[in-house]
Amino acid sequence: MAQEQTLFQRVRPHLGWLVLLVAVVVSMWPMRNDVARYLQHVGFQPHAPEWALAAALPLKVQVHIVAALSALAIGTIILLQPKGSRFHKTLGWAWVVAMAVTAVSSLFITGINGDTWSFIHLLSGWTIIGLPMAIYAIRNRKVQSHQRAMTGMFVGGLIVAGALTFIPGRFFYAFFFG
Protein backbone atom coordinates (compact mmCIF):
# COMPACT_ATOMS: atom_id res chain seq x y z
CA MET A 1 0.00 0.00 0.00
CA ALA A 2 1.30 3.47 -0.86
CA GLN A 3 2.44 5.66 2.00
CA GLU A 4 0.26 8.75 2.58
CA GLN A 5 1.91 11.94 1.41
CA THR A 6 1.55 15.40 2.84
CA LEU A 7 0.23 18.19 0.64
CA PHE A 8 3.75 19.59 0.30
CA GLN A 9 5.09 16.21 -0.85
CA ARG A 10 2.39 16.03 -3.53
CA VAL A 11 2.91 19.61 -4.72
CA ARG A 12 6.72 19.61 -4.50
CA PRO A 13 7.33 18.02 -7.95
CA HIS A 14 5.36 20.89 -9.50
CA LEU A 15 7.17 23.72 -7.72
CA GLY A 16 9.44 24.23 -10.73
CA TRP A 17 6.47 25.32 -12.82
CA LEU A 18 5.34 27.70 -10.09
CA VAL A 19 8.82 29.24 -9.88
CA LEU A 20 8.84 29.64 -13.68
CA LEU A 21 5.43 31.34 -13.62
CA VAL A 22 6.52 33.72 -10.88
CA ALA A 23 9.74 34.50 -12.79
CA VAL A 24 7.77 35.33 -15.95
CA VAL A 25 5.37 37.59 -14.05
CA VAL A 26 8.19 39.37 -12.23
CA SER A 27 10.19 39.86 -15.45
CA MET A 28 7.16 41.32 -17.24
CA TRP A 29 6.15 43.62 -14.37
CA PRO A 30 8.08 46.66 -15.71
CA MET A 31 6.19 46.34 -19.02
CA ARG A 32 2.73 46.23 -17.43
CA ASN A 33 1.72 49.74 -18.59
CA ASP A 34 2.82 49.04 -22.19
CA VAL A 35 0.93 45.74 -22.15
CA ALA A 36 -2.18 47.48 -20.77
CA ARG A 37 -2.03 50.13 -23.54
CA TYR A 38 -1.63 47.42 -26.19
CA LEU A 39 -4.58 45.43 -24.83
CA GLN A 40 -6.72 48.56 -24.85
CA HIS A 41 -5.58 49.30 -28.43
CA VAL A 42 -6.64 45.84 -29.70
CA GLY A 43 -10.02 46.04 -27.97
CA PHE A 44 -9.34 43.63 -25.13
CA GLN A 45 -12.45 43.84 -22.96
CA PRO A 46 -12.87 41.06 -20.38
CA HIS A 47 -16.53 40.23 -19.84
CA ALA A 48 -18.83 37.47 -18.72
CA PRO A 49 -18.76 34.46 -21.07
CA GLU A 50 -20.85 34.83 -24.23
CA TRP A 51 -22.86 31.60 -23.99
CA ALA A 52 -24.62 32.33 -27.29
CA LEU A 53 -21.26 31.93 -29.03
CA ALA A 54 -20.79 28.49 -27.47
CA ALA A 55 -24.31 27.41 -28.41
CA ALA A 56 -23.71 28.45 -32.02
CA LEU A 57 -20.60 26.27 -32.40
CA PRO A 58 -20.80 23.10 -34.49
CA LEU A 59 -21.36 19.91 -32.49
CA LYS A 60 -17.84 18.62 -33.26
CA VAL A 61 -16.34 21.74 -31.65
CA GLN A 62 -18.66 21.50 -28.63
CA VAL A 63 -17.65 17.85 -28.11
CA HIS A 64 -13.98 18.84 -28.39
CA ILE A 65 -14.32 21.63 -25.82
CA VAL A 66 -16.25 19.49 -23.31
CA ALA A 67 -13.71 16.66 -23.64
CA ALA A 68 -10.75 19.03 -23.28
CA LEU A 69 -12.20 20.78 -20.22
CA SER A 70 -13.01 17.38 -18.69
CA ALA A 71 -9.46 16.19 -19.32
CA LEU A 72 -8.08 19.40 -17.80
CA ALA A 73 -10.16 19.01 -14.63
CA ILE A 74 -9.46 15.28 -14.25
CA GLY A 75 -5.76 15.72 -15.01
CA THR A 76 -5.39 18.46 -12.43
CA ILE A 77 -6.94 16.21 -9.78
CA ILE A 78 -4.68 13.31 -10.79
CA LEU A 79 -1.55 15.45 -10.56
CA LEU A 80 -2.41 16.48 -7.00
CA GLN A 81 -3.33 13.00 -5.72
CA PRO A 82 -1.09 10.13 -4.59
CA LYS A 83 -0.10 7.86 -7.47
CA GLY A 84 -0.87 4.17 -7.80
CA SER A 85 -4.09 4.10 -5.80
CA ARG A 86 -7.37 2.73 -7.12
CA PHE A 87 -8.66 6.32 -7.29
CA HIS A 88 -5.67 7.30 -9.44
CA LYS A 89 -6.24 4.37 -11.80
CA THR A 90 -9.96 5.06 -12.15
CA LEU A 91 -9.45 8.76 -12.79
CA GLY A 92 -6.55 7.87 -15.09
CA TRP A 93 -8.80 5.84 -17.36
CA ALA A 94 -11.36 8.66 -17.39
CA TRP A 95 -8.54 11.05 -18.33
CA VAL A 96 -7.34 8.74 -21.12
CA VAL A 97 -10.85 8.61 -22.59
CA ALA A 98 -11.27 12.39 -22.33
CA MET A 99 -7.86 12.98 -23.96
CA ALA A 100 -8.59 10.49 -26.73
CA VAL A 101 -11.92 12.19 -27.50
CA THR A 102 -10.19 15.58 -27.41
CA ALA A 103 -7.42 14.47 -29.79
CA VAL A 104 -9.64 12.60 -32.25
CA SER A 105 -12.32 15.31 -32.32
CA SER A 106 -9.66 17.93 -33.10
CA LEU A 107 -8.89 16.13 -36.36
CA PHE A 108 -12.32 17.15 -37.61
CA ILE A 109 -11.80 20.82 -36.73
CA THR A 110 -9.98 23.12 -39.13
CA GLY A 111 -10.03 26.83 -39.66
CA ILE A 112 -6.69 28.34 -38.70
CA ASN A 113 -5.22 27.34 -42.11
CA GLY A 114 -8.46 27.41 -44.05
CA ASP A 115 -9.71 23.87 -44.59
CA THR A 116 -6.43 22.15 -43.71
CA TRP A 117 -4.81 21.04 -40.48
CA SER A 118 -2.51 23.41 -38.61
CA PHE A 119 0.61 22.88 -36.50
CA ILE A 120 -1.66 22.49 -33.44
CA HIS A 121 -2.87 19.19 -34.93
CA LEU A 122 0.62 17.79 -34.32
CA LEU A 123 -0.32 17.75 -30.62
CA SER A 124 -3.32 15.59 -31.51
CA GLY A 125 -1.13 13.10 -33.35
CA TRP A 126 1.30 13.08 -30.46
CA THR A 127 -1.58 12.37 -28.04
CA ILE A 128 -3.13 9.63 -30.20
CA ILE A 129 0.24 7.83 -30.33
CA GLY A 130 1.33 8.72 -26.78
CA LEU A 131 -1.73 7.49 -24.87
CA PRO A 132 -1.33 3.80 -25.79
CA MET A 133 2.43 4.06 -25.28
CA ALA A 134 1.95 5.49 -21.77
CA ILE A 135 -0.54 2.73 -20.91
CA TYR A 136 1.91 0.14 -22.23
CA ALA A 137 4.66 1.70 -20.10
CA ILE A 138 2.72 1.49 -16.83
CA ARG A 139 1.53 -2.05 -17.57
CA ASN A 140 5.20 -3.00 -17.95
CA ARG A 141 6.10 -1.20 -14.71
CA LYS A 142 7.99 1.62 -16.44
CA VAL A 143 6.66 4.23 -14.04
CA GLN A 144 8.96 7.08 -15.08
CA SER A 145 8.16 6.63 -18.77
CA HIS A 146 4.46 6.59 -17.94
CA GLN A 147 4.76 9.67 -15.76
CA ARG A 148 6.76 11.63 -18.35
CA ALA A 149 4.36 10.74 -21.16
CA MET A 150 1.21 11.58 -19.22
CA THR A 151 2.63 14.81 -17.82
CA GLY A 152 3.85 15.79 -21.28
CA MET A 153 0.43 15.23 -22.79
CA PHE A 154 -1.19 17.20 -19.97
CA VAL A 155 1.16 20.16 -20.41
CA GLY A 156 1.45 20.07 -24.21
CA GLY A 157 -1.96 18.78 -25.17
CA LEU A 158 -4.02 20.72 -22.64
CA ILE A 159 -2.05 23.65 -21.21
CA VAL A 160 -0.14 24.77 -24.34
CA ALA A 161 -2.90 23.96 -26.83
CA GLY A 162 -5.48 25.45 -24.45
CA ALA A 163 -3.48 28.65 -24.11
CA LEU A 164 -3.42 28.95 -27.90
CA THR A 165 -7.23 29.06 -27.94
CA PHE A 166 -7.04 32.48 -26.24
CA ILE A 167 -5.26 34.09 -29.21
CA PRO A 168 -7.32 36.93 -30.76
CA GLY A 169 -9.54 35.56 -33.51
CA ARG A 170 -10.04 32.19 -31.84
CA PHE A 171 -13.13 31.04 -29.94
CA PHE A 172 -12.11 31.46 -26.30
CA TYR A 173 -10.76 34.94 -26.97
CA ALA A 174 -14.18 35.97 -28.29
CA PHE A 175 -15.96 33.98 -25.57
CA PHE A 176 -14.20 35.82 -22.72
CA PHE A 177 -12.58 38.96 -24.13
CA GLY A 178 -13.88 39.84 -27.61
Side-chain angles (χ1 to χ4, degrees):
M1 178 133 311
Q3 183 180 5
E4 281 296 315
Q5 294 179 324
T6 65
L7 178 62
F8 179 74
Q9 288 172 323
R10 285 185 273 162
V11 173
R12 185 174 176 212
H14 310 289
L15 286 179
W17 289 106
L18 180 60
V19 169
L20 179 63
L21 178 64
V22 169
V24 168
V25 169
V26 167
S27 67
M28 293 186 70
W29 188 255
M31 298 181 290
R32 68 187 181 281
N33 292 331
D34 294 331
V35 171
R37 276 194 294 278
Y38 173 75
L39 292 175
Q40 187 177 21
H41 172 72
V42 297
F44 180 79
Q45 299 265 335
H47 55 74
E50 300 253 355
W51 292 105
L53 291 175
L57 289 172
L59 181 61
K60 61 187 175 186
V61 177
Q62 291 178 359
V63 167
H64 178 74
I65 290 171
V66 168
L69 291 175
S70 298
L72 180 64
I74 294 167
T76 302
I77 293 168
I78 290 172
L79 285 174
L80 297 175
Q81 293 297 315
K83 309 304 179 261
S85 67
R86 177 173 281 181
F87 182 67
H88 173 84
K89 293 173 186 176
T90 302
L91 276 185
W93 278 111
W95 187 81
V96 166
V97 169
M99 282 298 288
V101 170
T102 301
V104 171
S105 66
S106 75
L107 299 176
F108 298 96
I109 301 170
T110 57
I112 294 176
N113 290 344
D115 288 336
T116 61
W117 288 341
S118 69
F119 70 95
I120 296 172
H121 287 92
L122 292 173
L123 295 172
S124 301
W126 171 39
T127 301
I128 291 167
I129 293 168
L131 284 172
M133 290 175 63
I135 294 167
Y136 178 82
I138 199 62
R139 288 185 180 242
N140 287 286
R141 305 206 189 298
K142 296 179 181 177
V143 176
Q144 282 189 320
S145 294
H146 171 78
Q147 185 179 20
R148 278 194 305 267
M150 292 303 201
T151 303
M153 282 182 273
F154 181 83
V155 172
L158 291 173
I159 305 299
V160 173
L164 294 173
T165 66
F166 287 91
I167 294 172
R170 304 223 34 225
F171 170 72
F172 276 112
Y173 181 85
F175 188 66
F176 288 109
F177 310 118

